[in-house]
Amino acid sequence: MSYEVTASRRRPQRFEDLIGQDFVSATLQKSIASGKIAHAYLFSGPRGCGKTTSARILAKALNCDNGPNPTPCGECLHCREITKGVNLDVIEIDGASNTSVNDVRQIKDEVLFPPNSSRYKIYIIDEVHMLSTNAFNALLKTIEEPPPYVVFIFATTELHKVPATIKSRCQQFNFRLVPVELLKTALAEAAEETGIKADDEALYWIARQGNGSVRDSYTLFDQVAAFSDGHITFDKIRDKLGLTGFDQINSLVEFCAEKNPQKALSFLDEILESGVSIEQFIVDSADYFRNLLFIKSGITKESLLGQNPGRFSAKVLSSWGSDKIEHALEIMFQLFRDIRYSLDPRSELELAVARMCWLTDYVSSEEMRQAFNLAKSVIGRGGTIPLPDTGTANAAAWQEKKTPEITPPPIQPGAEETPLRETPQEEPAKEENFRRITDIRELPEALADFFMNSKTMLSAIFSQTSDWVKQNGEISFSVEKPLQYNQMESEKSTIQEAVSRLLGENISLSIKIKQPDNNEEEQQAVPEQVEAVRSLFKGTILPA
């Protein structure tokens, strides 16, 4: 016997045998069982999903000697003739090569004659979207009111090209892409039928490459089986088809995670020298980073990853977070777009690998936001807090820590009430939180807490003031720098009101600039909170 490809050998002969099209099968079977046969059907969907096959099964179900029957017997003369494609009453037309009005006119003339020996005369027009506009218009009347013994079945992969006037006259069925699990099961059955051993990893790869198409998966299966010598493995597929080995990508990305561009670029050269194309390497690398992103999200389904989750490098998973892996995936996507117009695609690839070697130091926008919020918190406290490493999982927890709010006390009896200026964000003061200041030494800290929510910069300056003296209803203090002095003078009235409220008496205010002491060192120590911010952002403090 002559060789028959798997896609033809395993073509379904019943609705029950269709893979992944349960809605179509159930609907057509129930329609046939209830005798509600439409005069026109429109099957649409991706290639290789069973549109033409379903049309032939429907033709057999309608013309079976035991029918109309939801499940054709497959043994009667009509079923066997339709299976072989020689039945005179089931006419298959290629819409791509019969696009003119004359072809449609021939159909209009033929429908006037009843079927030769069958119950229905059935026209199956494949790729119906290829018909010309005039041909569609000529077919409208025939489709709308055909003789009772005529059934039209249209199949198309581009539904949007079919005129709305045709769609409205047909029952529409949308075929879906077949899930990877179902394709893998079908491939395993095909391998068992032919006596070929096949590893699950290899079958999952073939199913994923089929992109939901049964016919594409079977075609690739035949190609792989031809060079596998009776045992299909992923290693054989990789070697024969020029794919990048999974272990090779693992090793390369580990070098990148270690920030070792020398080893990474040398290893990349070995991969390309083995015959792997640049385009294929980019595709395989993008798929690798996609799977890493799934694992980081807690997804370990083998049919989705195409690999056992345990094969992915633990070193890469621990070194890179989701944001860094996502950035690596974006690099591969952009690289695939760029090499189409590149003068030197290999240099583009080497540059991308070199960039990934420094991906460990990549700071995402989310990490920057957390760092800014943390810095704001440090400055607002007027003190220091332990700082986490940038990018660690604890950054968000540190960000949520806040200093308890301190509200100003109420005016004491007999004192003149001088209301403070309020900001829209401030809530009314609560008397139960009032802490009266009796010791002048506590005043700087109390003022820093008082202005922490409304005037952050002013609050920070109070921690650097000195020489607080109260004498004859006046309080004086000193600041170290002219910039601080100017800030204090611009807010002098507000500070005076706050001091009066905290002390419970009317107080005047005197602000001075501290004169440098000749005995002091010229270089003053940097405040701890400023040093914390400088360390966080890896910056440099410039002299005033």
Side-chain angles (χ1 to χ4, degrees):
M1 292 179 62
S2 61
Y3 172 74
E4 187 177 13
V5 298
T6 304
S8 299
R9 177 169 53 84
R10 290 183 54 83
R11 185 186 292 272
Q13 303 300 325
R14 305 178 305 163
F15 285 117
E16 292 87 345
D17 298 333
L18 285 175
I19 303 175
Q21 311 299 337
D22 297 338
F23 168 75
V24 175
S25 302
T27 305
L28 290 176
Q29 284 184 303
K30 291 182 179 179
S31 297
I32 296 171
S34 61
K36 298 177 181 179
I37 311 301
H39 53 262
Y41 296 89
L42 177 59
F43 295 163
S44 63
R47 66 183 186 278
C49 291
K51 299 184 294 298
T52 304
T53 297
S54 297
R56 293 176 181 175
I57 297 174
L58 178 58
K60 287 194 292 185
L62 295 178
N63 285 337
C64 181
D65 290 347
N66 301 327
N69 192 347
T71 303
C73 67
E75 301 295 336
C76 66
L77 178 62
H78 291 103
C79 287
R80 285 186 278 114
E81 288 181 345
I82 294 173
T83 300
K84 296 178 181 179
V86 296
N87 190 280
L88 297 177
D89 297 320
V90 178
I91 303 99
E92 290 194 33
I93 301 173
D94 179 17
S97 57
N98 298 273
T99 62
S100 65
V101 177
N102 292 331
D103 298 319
V104 174
R105 185 180 294 116
Q106 182 180 351
I107 296 175
K108 293 177 64 177
D109 294 339
E110 290 178 357
V111 298
L112 299 177
F113 300 96
N116 292 317
S117 59
S118 304
R119 190 176 295 107
Y120 290 95
K121 177 177 283 190
I122 300 174
Y123 287 89
I124 301 175
I125 304 180
D126 205 1
E127 301 300 333
V128 69
H129 65 273
M130 299 294 289
L131 295 181
S132 64
T133 303
N134 292 332
F136 274 126
N137 293 334
L139 198 58
L140 288 177
K141 191 64 177 177
T142 306
I143 297 176
E144 187 173 11
E145 296 178 357
Y149 50 78
V150 174
V151 175
F152 289 96
I153 305 176
F154 303 134
T156 178
T157 55
E158 300 185 38
L159 182 62
H160 61 280
K161 292 185 178 180
V162 179
T165 51
I166 296 292
K167 296 178 185 177
S168 64
R169 289 166 169 80
C170 304
Q171 282 192 11
Q172 298 183 42
F173 291 87
N174 295 320
F175 287 69
R176 302 174 181 177
L177 292 172
V178 181
V180 173
E181 282 286 356
L182 295 180
L183 287 177
K184 185 260 181 184
T185 302
L187 292 172
E189 294 173 355
E192 185 178 358
E193 289 177 0
T194 55
I196 298 176
K197 295 182 180 179
D199 295 346
D200 286 345
E201 185 179 8
L203 293 180
Y204 272 127
W205 182 86
I206 296 173
R208 289 184 60 200
Q209 294 301 310
N211 294 319
S213 170
V214 182
R215 183 173 61 235
D216 290 2
S217 299
Y218 281 148
T219 302
L220 184 56
F221 171 81
D222 289 338
Q223 180 183 357
V224 171
F227 59 71
S228 295
D229 298 327
H231 188 188
I232 300 176
T233 65
F234 184 74
D235 291 336
K236 293 179 180 179
I237 295 174
R238 179 196 64 200
D239 295 337
K240 298 297 183 181
L241 298 184
L243 306 179
T244 310
F246 181 84
D247 295 333
Q248 290 177 311
I249 299 180
N250 251 344
S251 300
L252 178 66
V253 178
E254 283 183 359
F255 291 143
C256 294
E258 294 171 358
K259 300 170 60 175
N260 193 332
Q262 181 180 0
K263 289 185 178 181
L265 293 174
S266 298
F267 194 73
L268 174 64
D269 178 67
E270 295 178 10
I271 294 174
L272 298 180
E273 288 296 326
S274 66
V276 177
S277 68
I278 293 176
E279 293 81 1
Q280 187 63 51
F281 176 83
I282 297 172
V283 171
D284 294 339
S285 298
D287 185 65
Y288 177 86
F289 289 123
R290 163 193 175 269
N291 293 337
L292 283 183
L293 204 56
F294 278 144
I295 294 176
K296 276 291 189 179
S297 301
I299 300 173
T300 57
K301 188 177 180 182
E302 189 170 348
S303 61
L304 191 59
L305 301 177
Q307 303 281 348
N308 188 317
R311 294 190 60 184
F312 290 87
S313 172
K315 181 184 295 184
V316 175
L317 289 170
S318 61
S319 300
W320 287 356
S322 298
D323 55 335
K324 294 176 175 58
I325 297 174
E326 182 179 343
H327 189 60
L329 183 58
E330 290 177 355
I331 290 176
M332 287 296 127
F333 284 156
Q334 186 61 45
L335 178 61
F336 190 80
R337 290 188 288 264
D338 292 344
I339 61 173
R340 296 174 56 190
Y341 308 102
S342 175
L343 295 176
D344 189 353
R346 174 162 180 159
S347 296
E348 294 270 7
L349 176 58
E350 292 169 343
L351 180 60
V353 171
R355 287 173 177 170
M356 286 194 297
C357 289
W358 305 107
L359 200 59
T360 304
D361 296 330
Y362 168 74
V363 179
S364 67
S365 57
E366 175 62 20
E367 290 175 337
M368 285 293 294
R369 184 186 68 82
Q370 293 178 0
F372 276 115
N373 289 340
L374 193 57
K376 180 180 178 181
S377 175
V378 171
I379 296 174
R381 293 175 194 274
T384 60
I385 58 172
L387 297 177
D389 277 342
T390 303
T392 61
N394 296 327
W398 283 102
Q399 174 190 344
E400 294 178 358
K401 293 185 178 181
K402 296 181 179 179
T403 303
E405 296 183 1
I406 300 179
T407 56
I411 297 297
Q412 297 299 317
E416 181 180 356
E417 181 177 358
T418 307
L420 287 173
R421 285 180 284 181
E422 298 180 353
T423 59
Q425 293 79 10
E426 292 181 335
E427 296 183 355
K430 297 180 181 180
E431 295 186 3
E432 58 270 23
N433 292 336
F434 165 61
R435 178 168 65 91
R436 184 172 178 177
I437 303 303
T438 58
D439 190 344
I440 191 67
R441 292 174 294 181
E442 298 178 5
L443 195 55
E445 181 181 355
L447 287 170
D449 292 336
F450 186 86
F451 289 109
M452 183 174 59
N453 293 328
S454 58
K455 298 180 182 295
T456 307
M457 294 300 297
L458 191 62
S459 173
I461 296 176
F462 279 110
S463 62
Q464 304 176 39
T465 58
S466 60
D467 302 334
W468 287 78
V469 177
K470 179 181 179 184
Q471 188 175 7
N472 300 327
E474 180 184 66
I475 289 182
S476 62
F477 63 91
S478 301
V479 294
E480 297 180 354
K481 298 181 180 181
L483 181 63
Q484 298 172 342
Y485 175 80
N486 294 335
Q487 180 73 14
M488 286 286 189
E489 280 292 330
S490 63
E491 300 286 351
K492 184 175 181 179
S493 59
T494 303
I495 299 172
Q496 185 170 313
E497 294 172 358
V499 172
S500 300
R501 173 162 292 190
L502 288 172
L503 295 178
E505 58 180 301
N506 292 329
I507 292 293
S508 61
L509 200 63
S510 175
I511 306 172
K512 304 175 182 178
I513 299 179
K514 185 177 182 180
Q515 298 299 325
D517 191 349
N518 294 332
N519 296 328
E520 294 181 356
E521 297 182 0
E522 294 183 0
Q523 182 66 31
Q524 297 292 334
V526 178
E528 293 184 7
Q529 66 271 21
V530 177
E531 175 61 25
V533 176
R534 186 207 64 76
S535 176
L536 177 65
F537 290 102
K538 301 179 180 180
T540 302
I541 299 177
L542 298 177

